[in-house]
């Protein structure tokens, strides 16, 4: 059999290994969750940056559309030449001609009433257009004196609107135009929601969200119904940047089901981890339980064999002594002494037979082979009959068994033989576990549709730990190697099984050194 120290060491090592596995799995799951959270935050920031850019482009296109509309209205601009981009001369020896190229950009300024754009509070705003004017002149040189004729022989002109330069100009200035414009007129809730949904879908963020645009710390009309600004979970980015890339406006997004969404992304890993860990824990617990149970059974078997040996050794020795005494010529003629020894032999034989019967009863009960037929019996009468079986033993030790049969209704459905054995077993325990004179009181009383039987003694009593296991098969209180009271722990296991088969309940209350009280509760029959 495995030594106790080795067994404890194995249990500790296995337990530490299991705890280590659980911690490692928890560590990796937590790491995976943190990585998912960082990736999620990164994806949200990237998406919000693209949404901010999309809002800017939308506003720029809107301004561009208004700009073109103003130009189409045919307003007379103030034109000024702002830059001569390129002037150069070239001379061709073969043709005896000189070429001059000029490229000049003109700025056209339009004064437009602000109501046309519905922007701001100023009376008017400046809209500018840039035009490119290029001209190529070809001059002829005199072959006589080499002078260039001032009148060009050919002239090429090209006029075009400088859209890119124009766009560059008002891209830098449209922000100033919209600066004091209310944010809800610059963009709508529906547009923000659509931009966010579209970008989150592209980024693979498929969870519910709430949004809002704040002007500094103040909420604007651009917001979802349930948005709440939460510093730990809300993600924000500036929108409507000025020329210096600064803004008072911020677009915030919050994800109410963020934690659930992140966990769902690693849910399969968590589920598999829990399943496999549970299997390991169950297998480990079962293995430990079986090991402990095997040790207990081994100990119980050893105790059982020892107890049975003691239990049978005493009556066998007594019978041998009685037989030897009867054979003595001096005794065999004394009729009184012979009868005394014969009675001793008979009692010891009954005692051994009773122990064997207890073992057989338990074995049959475990296999459900014990046939228990029940009939109507008067419990008070049955108790009186059971007491007669132990009466002589109690009197021999100068004790007593007093009855207090106060139950007016005592008719129960029971097997007379087995239930008599139940009462006798409890009385026998009370006698055995009383070091001095056995003092036993038996009570019956009615409670509702039940009858209670209480058997109280003033013996050695039991600890709380023993009370929990006293009805287990083979269980006996350990007192080292001292066996002051012989037995093999079958009597009370048999008692409990019989009471259970009678739809009853048995319990015990005890205190060490002050005795025990066994209580049986049985249903009455009308």
């Amino acid at each position: 059999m495995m030594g106790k120290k080795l067994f404890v060491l194995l249990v500790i090592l296995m337990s530490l290994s299991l705890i280590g596995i659980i911690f490692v799995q928890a560590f990796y799951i937590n790491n995976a969750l943190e990585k998912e959270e960082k990736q999620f935050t990164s994806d949200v920031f990237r998406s919000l940056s693209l949404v901010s850019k999309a809002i800017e482009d939308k506003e720029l296109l809107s301004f561009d559309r208004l700009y073109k509309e103003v130009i189409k209205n045919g307003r007379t601009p103030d034109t000024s030449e702002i830059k001569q981009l390129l002037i150069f001369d070239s001379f061709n020896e073969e043709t005896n001609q000189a070429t001059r190229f000029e490229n000049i950009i003109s700025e056209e300024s339009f004064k437009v009433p602000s109501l046309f754009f519905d922007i701001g509070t100023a009376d008017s705003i400046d809209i500018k257009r840039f035009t490119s004017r290029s001209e190529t002149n070809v001059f002829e040189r005199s072959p006589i004196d080499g002078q260039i004729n001032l009148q060009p022989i050919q002239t090429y002109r090209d006029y075009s609107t400088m859209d890119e330069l124009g766009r560059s100009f008002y891209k830098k200035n449209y922000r100033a135009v919209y600066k004091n414009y209310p944010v809800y007129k610059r963009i709508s809730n529906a547009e923000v929601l659509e931009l966010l949904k579209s970008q989150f879908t592209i980024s693979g963020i498929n969870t519910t969200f709430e949004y809002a645009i704040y002007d500094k710390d103040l909420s604007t009309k651009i917001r979802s119904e349930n948005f709440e600004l939460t510093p730990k979970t809300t993600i924000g980015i500036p929108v409507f940047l000025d020329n210096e890339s600064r803004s008072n406006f911020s677009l915030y997004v919050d994800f109410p089901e963020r934690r659930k969404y992140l966990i769902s992304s690693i849910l399969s890993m968590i589920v598999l981890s829990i399943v496999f860990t549970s299997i390991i824990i169950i297998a480990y617990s079962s293995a430990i339980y079986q090991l402990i149970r095997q040790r207990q059974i081994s100990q119980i078997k050893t105790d059982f064999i020892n107890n049975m040996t003691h239990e049978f050794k005493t009556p066998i020795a007594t019978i041998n002594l009685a037989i030897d005494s009867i054979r003595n010529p001096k005794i065999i003629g004394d009729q009184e002494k012979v009868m005394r020894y014969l009675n001793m032999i008979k009692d010891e034989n009954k005692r051994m037979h009773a122990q064997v019967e207890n073992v057989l009863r338990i074995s049959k009960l475990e296999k459900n082979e014990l046939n228990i037929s029940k009939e109507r019996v008067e419990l008070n009468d049955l108790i009186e009959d059971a007491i007669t079986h132990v009466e002589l033993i109690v009197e021999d030790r100068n004790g007593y068994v007093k009855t207090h049969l106060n139950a007016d209704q005592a008719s129960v459905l029971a097997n007379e033989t087995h239930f008599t054995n139940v009462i006798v077993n409890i009385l026998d325990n009370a006698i055995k576990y009383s070091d001095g004179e056995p003092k036993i009181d038996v009570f019956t009383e009615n409670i509702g549709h039940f009858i209670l039987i209480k058997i109280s003694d003033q013996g050695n009593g039991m600890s709380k730990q023993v009370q929990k296991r006293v009805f287990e098969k083979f269980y006996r209180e350990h007192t080292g190697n001292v066996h002051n009271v012989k037995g093999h722990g079958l009597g009370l296991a048999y008692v409990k099984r019989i009471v259970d088969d009678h739809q009853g309940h048995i319990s015990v209350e005890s205190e060490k050194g002050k005795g025990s009280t066994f209580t049986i509760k049985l249903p009455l029959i009308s």
Side-chain angles (χ1 to χ4, degrees):
M1 185 175 66
M2 187 186 299
K4 185 177 180 181
K5 289 184 179 179
L6 179 59
F7 176 77
V8 171
L9 179 62
L10 287 175
V11 170
I12 291 173
L13 290 176
M14 291 169 67
S15 300
L16 290 175
S17 300
L18 180 59
I19 293 169
I21 290 171
I22 293 171
F23 270 107
V24 167
Q25 287 188 331
F27 174 78
Y28 277 111
I29 290 173
N30 186 62
N31 272 3
L33 190 59
E34 287 180 357
K35 288 179 180 178
E36 287 292 328
E37 190 158 0
K38 288 179 181 177
Q39 184 62 46
F40 177 83
T41 303
S42 175
D43 290 343
V44 172
F45 268 118
R46 185 173 61 253
S47 299
L48 289 180
S49 297
L50 293 173
V51 169
S52 177
K53 180 68 168 56
I55 290 173
E56 180 181 336
D57 289 345
K58 174 193 170 300
E59 197 165 66
L60 181 61
L61 289 172
S62 176
F63 188 85
D64 182 53
R65 190 166 54 253
L66 293 173
Y67 163 79
K68 289 179 179 177
E69 189 173 342
V70 170
I71 300 302
K72 286 179 182 179
N73 282 343
R75 294 180 178 277
T76 303
D78 295 327
T79 304
S80 61
E81 201 170 85
I82 62 168
K83 190 175 183 183
Q84 181 173 293
L85 291 182
L86 182 62
I87 298 176
F88 65 89
D89 293 308
S90 64
F91 181 76
N92 190 328
E93 295 287 349
E94 293 180 1
T95 61
N96 201 33
Q97 292 179 343
T99 303
R100 170 169 285 192
F101 175 81
E102 295 179 353
N103 189 9
I104 298 172
I105 297 174
S106 298
E107 175 188 295
E108 297 173 299
S109 179
F110 297 82
K111 285 285 186 181
V112 183
S114 62
L115 292 175
F116 186 90
F117 287 91
D118 190 23
I119 297 174
T121 57
D123 293 334
S124 64
I125 60 172
D126 286 330
I127 298 294
K128 297 181 185 294
R129 179 178 66 182
F130 293 83
T131 303
S132 171
R133 177 167 57 86
S134 62
E135 184 176 288
T136 305
N137 292 304
V138 180
F139 301 90
E140 186 174 31
R141 188 174 67 169
S142 171
I144 298 172
D145 55 10
Q147 296 292 321
I148 295 176
N149 191 349
L150 296 179
Q151 294 297 323
I153 59 173
Q154 287 181 325
T155 299
Y156 304 95
R157 291 186 177 88
D158 179 37
Y159 295 88
S160 61
T161 301
M162 299 290 289
D163 290 334
E164 289 304 319
L165 287 174
R167 179 179 295 273
S168 174
F169 175 84
Y170 62 72
K171 185 175 182 181
K172 291 179 180 178
N173 290 276
Y174 86 91
R175 298 184 177 101
V177 172
Y178 280 104
K179 185 175 182 180
N180 298 317
Y181 201 50
V183 69
Y184 66 89
K185 289 188 177 181
R186 298 175 73 173
I187 194 165
S188 67
N189 268 307
E191 288 172 325
V192 174
L193 180 61
E194 184 60 32
L195 285 171
L196 288 171
K197 277 185 177 178
S198 175
Q199 196 55 54
F200 286 159
T201 300
I202 293 170
S203 299
I205 302 170
N206 302 311
T207 183
T208 57
F209 63 88
E210 304 291 337
Y211 68 91
I213 292 179
Y214 272 63
D215 182 358
K216 293 184 178 177
D217 295 329
L218 299 176
S219 177
T220 67
K221 292 183 179 180
I222 306 301
R223 61 177 293 137
S224 57
E225 186 177 352
N226 300 316
F227 178 82
E228 290 184 8
L229 188 60
T230 309
K232 289 185 179 180
T233 59
T234 302
I235 300 173
I237 196 168
V239 290
F240 303 121
L241 299 173
D242 60 18
N243 294 333
E244 297 177 358
S245 298
R246 295 181 301 185
S247 176
N248 292 333
F249 298 101
S250 295
L251 172 62
Y252 290 106
V253 180
D254 188 58
F255 299 88
E257 298 182 357
R258 173 175 178 161
R259 193 70 178 175
K260 187 189 295 183
Y261 173 74
L262 292 174
I263 291 174
S264 67
S265 64
I266 58 170
L267 186 60
S268 57
M269 181 195 302
I270 294 173
V271 170
L272 287 175
S273 178
I274 291 173
V275 168
F276 291 133
T277 303
S278 298
I279 292 172
I280 291 171
I281 291 173
I282 292 170
Y284 169 77
S285 302
S286 177
I288 293 297
Y289 174 78
Q290 292 299 329
L291 284 172
I292 293 172
R293 188 66 180 163
Q294 288 299 321
R295 283 181 58 82
Q296 288 177 340
I297 290 173
S298 177
Q299 187 63 46
I300 286 168
K301 285 180 178 178
T302 302
D303 291 343
F304 175 73
I305 292 169
N306 291 337
N307 289 329
M308 287 294 289
T309 302
H310 283 288
E311 200 72 25
F312 285 111
K313 187 181 285 185
T314 304
I316 290 171
T318 304
I319 290 171
N320 285 334
L321 287 172
I323 292 172
D324 289 339
S325 297
I326 293 171
R327 285 177 176 172
N328 191 322
K330 295 179 180 179
I331 300 298
I332 199 167
D334 191 335
Q335 191 68 23
E336 184 179 346
K337 288 185 178 181
V338 169
M339 291 303 298
R340 179 190 170 194
Y341 289 131
L342 288 174
N343 285 331
M344 287 176 65
I345 292 170
K346 184 178 180 181
D347 290 340
E348 294 303 323
N349 184 60
K350 280 184 178 180
R351 182 178 171 187
M352 288 192 293
H353 181 72
Q355 300 302 333
V356 173
E357 280 298 314
N358 271 339
V359 175
L360 293 175
R361 283 175 191 150
I362 290 295
S363 177
K364 288 183 177 180
L365 282 172
E366 289 296 324
K367 296 177 182 177
N368 294 317
E369 294 176 357
L370 193 61
N371 183 23
I372 302 179
S373 59
K374 301 181 183 73
E375 57 185 14
R376 186 189 189 101
V377 297
E378 288 294 321
L379 203 55
N380 287 339
D381 296 340
L382 188 144
I383 291 169
E384 294 279 10
D385 181 56
I387 291 172
T388 61
H389 287 72
V390 297
E391 207 167 34
L392 292 176
I393 301 173
V394 173
E395 288 177 0
D396 186 57
R397 293 179 55 183
N398 299 317
Y400 65 79
V401 179
K402 293 182 180 178
T403 57
H404 312 272
L405 309 179
N406 300 321
D408 296 327
Q409 298 180 31
S411 296
V412 296
L413 193 65
N415 182 284
E416 185 174 349
T417 302
H418 286 293
F419 218 84
T420 300
N421 288 335
V422 166
I423 305 299
V424 170
N425 268 292
I426 297 175
L427 292 171
D428 186 50
N429 266 5
I431 295 165
K432 285 196 296 185
Y433 290 98
S434 294
D435 291 338
E437 301 169 353
K439 298 175 182 179
I440 304 168
D441 290 276
V442 182
F443 304 84
T444 62
E445 61 177 306
N446 292 123
I447 296 180
H449 298 292
F450 296 90
I451 183 171
L452 292 186
I453 308 166
K454 292 185 179 180
I455 301 174
S456 299
D457 64 66
Q458 300 177 31
N460 301 335
M462 293 176 276
S463 64
K464 295 292 183 184
Q465 184 179 359
V466 174
Q467 289 177 52
K468 292 177 183 178
R469 302 188 59 191
V470 73
F471 296 109
E472 292 181 17
K473 186 171 69 169
F474 298 127
Y475 180 77
R476 294 181 69 232
E477 184 175 5
H478 290 289
T479 55
N481 294 322
V482 179
H483 298 277
N484 296 324
V485 180
K486 307 307 176 189
H488 40 71
L490 293 175
L492 290 178
Y494 166 75
V495 165
K496 178 169 174 52
R497 185 61 185 270
I498 294 298
V499 171
D500 289 343
D501 283 349
H502 283 73
Q503 288 75 52
H505 176 75
I506 184 168
S507 61
V508 61
E509 294 179 5
S510 183
E511 187 175 347
K512 199 74 173 173
K514 294 186 178 181
S516 306
T517 299
F518 286 84
T519 302
I520 300 172
K521 183 179 180 181
L522 289 174
L524 292 167
I525 59 172
S526 57

